[in-house]
Amino acid sequence: GAGLGAVLGLGAAVGIPAIRAAIAPDRSAAASAAAFGGESLPCHGPHQAGVITEPTTHVRFVAYRLKPTTDRAAIERLFRILTDDVEGLTSGDSPLADPEPELAARPARLTITVGVGPDLVDRVGPGKRPEWLAPLPKFSKDRLAGTHDGGDLLFLIQADDQLAVAHAARMLQRDTRSFADRHWEQQGFRTARGSEKSGTTMRNLMGQVDGTVNPHPEDEDFAPLVWLGEADPSSEAGSQAWLAGGTALVLRRIRMELDTWDQIDRPGREQTIGRRLSDGAPLTGGTEHSPMDFDAKDEQGLPVIPSFAHSRRAHSEDPNERIFRRAVNYDEGGESGLLFACYQRNPLRQFVPIQQRLDELDLLNEWITHTGSAVFAILPGFSRGEILGQSLLS
Ligand code: HEM
């Protein structure tokens, strides 16, 4: 459209030597080779591990469809087995009858987060399904391929070592296969642990710093945005009291057209987001975490952060309409993109209005396509002696 033309015509590309200097590796930093495979994270608590846990290098989402014969009693048996698997695998002790305990011994901060889809909840008790636990409304630019949509059961497996992820996925598959069939699997990654200082915001495959403006688990308003509560006055109370301590996951598979993206000059790519590629700072100045000045104008009187910029369009004026983003890259079979995962209390009030705005206008749409969509209820956390999903079954 006209926006694209404006961007393409903008300014000359920044000199390559300047860019090289800005991103030169820090060779003075001593290469540290501390082994981290033995690190394990607790799986018990009010929330499942893996939602606010410090991001890991490898991330795998595996969705299942329940077999027609898997009734409420079978779901309870499955949850008992999964509870043992999660406790064993994440601690490094390996579950009962693990034929490869050596592979489980180095969990590398493994977390396994379990989510449930609409059909699973309906099989236990239809009255327990919150309104948002359903396929999302269709957006005009969606091109869902039918290969990565929905699911009844989700395992989100994260670790700093792909060996730990693969072994956990295999053990979970072994224990799940008599109850459910694998529906789809999506593998994502971030910058490898140790490649950057920990706490550095990740980069996506378009080269952007991705994840800067995000609610923080330490913030006072994080829980009301993300964690479901016993008494959530804003939603249909009752039907989701069993989810207290859980959260709603929206997972979108978003393909990137990197070959055409590469043809845009650097200012054009920066205007598309409204932030600098070098350090993720707003085009209105400062550093990565400086606030964006949406009112600032350039010499021609045009907004410095264009009206079509992704950050401007995604930004919510309503503080309740925010999401906790935790995206990862994917790159497989000649296709690259983002596994866009976000957590919230209610996707219909949080993800959907944001995505509606982006669907309407966002220059980024020239190079991205949503091809997969799923919503899961992430089960509440559990303590030792409890089973995952206990509140759903009781
Ligand atoms: C901000 C990239 C899809 C919601 C950003 C930023 C980048 C980015 C680089 C600026 C840095 C930051 O604050 O993290 C992308 C890419 C996408 C994508 C490459 C697809 C491939 C989405 C989707 C949503 C979304 C589907 C939600 C519906 C947001 C929000 C912000 C943001 C809420 C922060 C806005 C603010 O400043 O308040 N995104 N994004 N993004 N994005 Fe995306």
Side-chain angles (χ1 to χ4, degrees):
L4 177 60
V7 160
L8 287 170
L10 270 164
V14 174
I16 295 295
I19 295 166
R20 291 245 164 84
I23 59 174
D26 179 5
R27 295 187 203 285
S28 66
S32 108
F36 50 74
E39 288 178 26
S40 69
L41 295 174
C43 66
H44 297 123
H47 315 298
Q48 285 192 77
V51 176
I52 56 169
T53 319
E54 201 197 319
T56 56
T57 306
H58 302 282
V59 176
R60 187 181 297 192
F61 296 89
V62 192
Y64 286 82
R65 282 254 186 251
L66 296 180
K67 290 183 188 293
T69 48
T70 302
D71 57 10
R72 184 199 168 98
I75 291 169
E76 185 160 355
R77 277 202 308 283
L78 171 61
F79 281 179
R80 275 184 197 284
I81 298 168
L82 292 177
T83 304
D84 283 347
D85 285 348
V86 171
E87 288 176 338
L89 288 163
T90 59
S91 64
D93 289 340
S94 90
L96 221 59
D98 184 342
E100 270 36 283
E102 293 81 4
L103 293 182
R106 305 200 55 81
R109 296 197 301 161
L110 175 72
T111 57
I112 299 169
T113 317
V114 179
V116 295
D119 291 353
L120 188 148
V121 176
D122 282 348
R123 280 196 209 186
V124 175
K128 293 199 157 191
R129 177 155 65 89
E131 190 195 357
W132 52 260
L133 189 55
L136 290 170
K138 198 181 168 340
F139 301 96
S140 77
K141 295 193 176 65
D142 284 1
R143 294 294 176 268
L144 303 188
T147 47
H148 298 93
D149 302 330
D152 301 338
L153 181 66
L154 174 82
F155 302 140
L156 164 54
I157 309 167
Q158 307 179 80
D160 287 323
D161 185 349
Q162 181 73 308
L163 197 59
V165 172
H167 179 63
R170 189 178 145 245
M171 296 303 291
L172 294 166
Q173 161 69 12
R174 182 197 67 171
D175 288 344
T176 302
R177 72 179 163 220
S178 55
F179 302 92
D181 300 311
R182 188 152 40 192
H183 180 42
W184 51 253
E185 190 172 308
Q186 308 194 60
Q187 177 74 43
F189 61 92
R190 303 188 176 84
T191 310
R193 176 164 175 181
S195 172
E196 292 261 22
K197 264 210 316 269
S198 80
T200 305
T201 313
M202 79 155 206
R203 282 188 188 264
N204 63 36
L205 289 167
M206 290 177 136
Q208 302 142 355
V209 175
D210 191 342
T212 301
V213 176
N214 221 4
H216 283 281
E218 315 81 65
D219 295 348
E220 220 166 82
D221 54 2
F222 186 87
L225 281 171
V226 176
W227 298 122
L228 287 152
E230 300 272 0
D232 176 5
S234 70
S235 65
E236 343 82 89
S239 70
Q240 58 181 34
W242 65 273
L243 266 168
T247 179
L249 166 67
V250 169
L251 178 64
R252 305 279 286 183
R253 184 181 180 87
I254 310 179
R255 189 179 67 221
M256 293 172 170
E257 315 301 343
L258 295 180
D259 291 341
T260 49
W261 174 249
D262 287 352
Q263 290 163 11
I264 312 304
D265 68 7
R266 202 164 168 94
R269 283 182 277 154
E270 294 185 327
Q271 299 241 332
T272 301
I273 297 293
R275 288 177 172 274
R276 291 204 297 251
L277 281 161
S278 58
D279 59 358
L283 289 181
T284 45
T287 56
E288 185 195 341
H289 291 283
S290 302
M292 309 198 70
D293 181 355
F294 291 120
D295 298 327
K297 302 272 185 334
D298 64 13
E299 315 83 74
Q300 284 126 48
L302 296 167
V304 177
I305 296 168
S307 54
F308 51 67
H310 176 75
S311 293
R312 181 191 285 273
R313 297 295 296 166
H315 180 78
S316 297
E317 292 300 334
D318 177 353
N320 299 317
E321 193 195 276
R322 286 180 298 152
I323 50 180
F324 178 52
R325 291 181 290 142
R326 229 171 121 100
V328 278
N329 301 306
Y330 76 87
D331 176 41
E332 56 196 3
E335 187 187 307
S336 308
L338 206 58
L339 303 180
F340 181 90
C342 67
Y343 299 91
Q344 61 241 284
R345 269 195 176 178
N346 187 336
L348 299 176
R349 300 214 185 101
Q350 292 166 270
F351 174 85
V352 169
I354 300 170
Q355 180 53 29
Q356 253 152 10
R357 274 202 307 277
L358 297 179
D359 189 60
E360 235 165 65
L361 175 67
D362 176 4
L363 189 57
L364 196 55
N365 289 337
E366 302 281 339
W367 302 279
I368 64 168
T369 311
H370 292 234
T371 64
S373 181
V375 180
F376 292 98
I378 299 298
L379 295 173
F382 64 110
S383 325
R384 195 174 295 284
E386 286 182 346
I387 67 161
L388 259 167
Q390 201 158 280
S391 56
L392 171 62
L393 296 159
S394 56

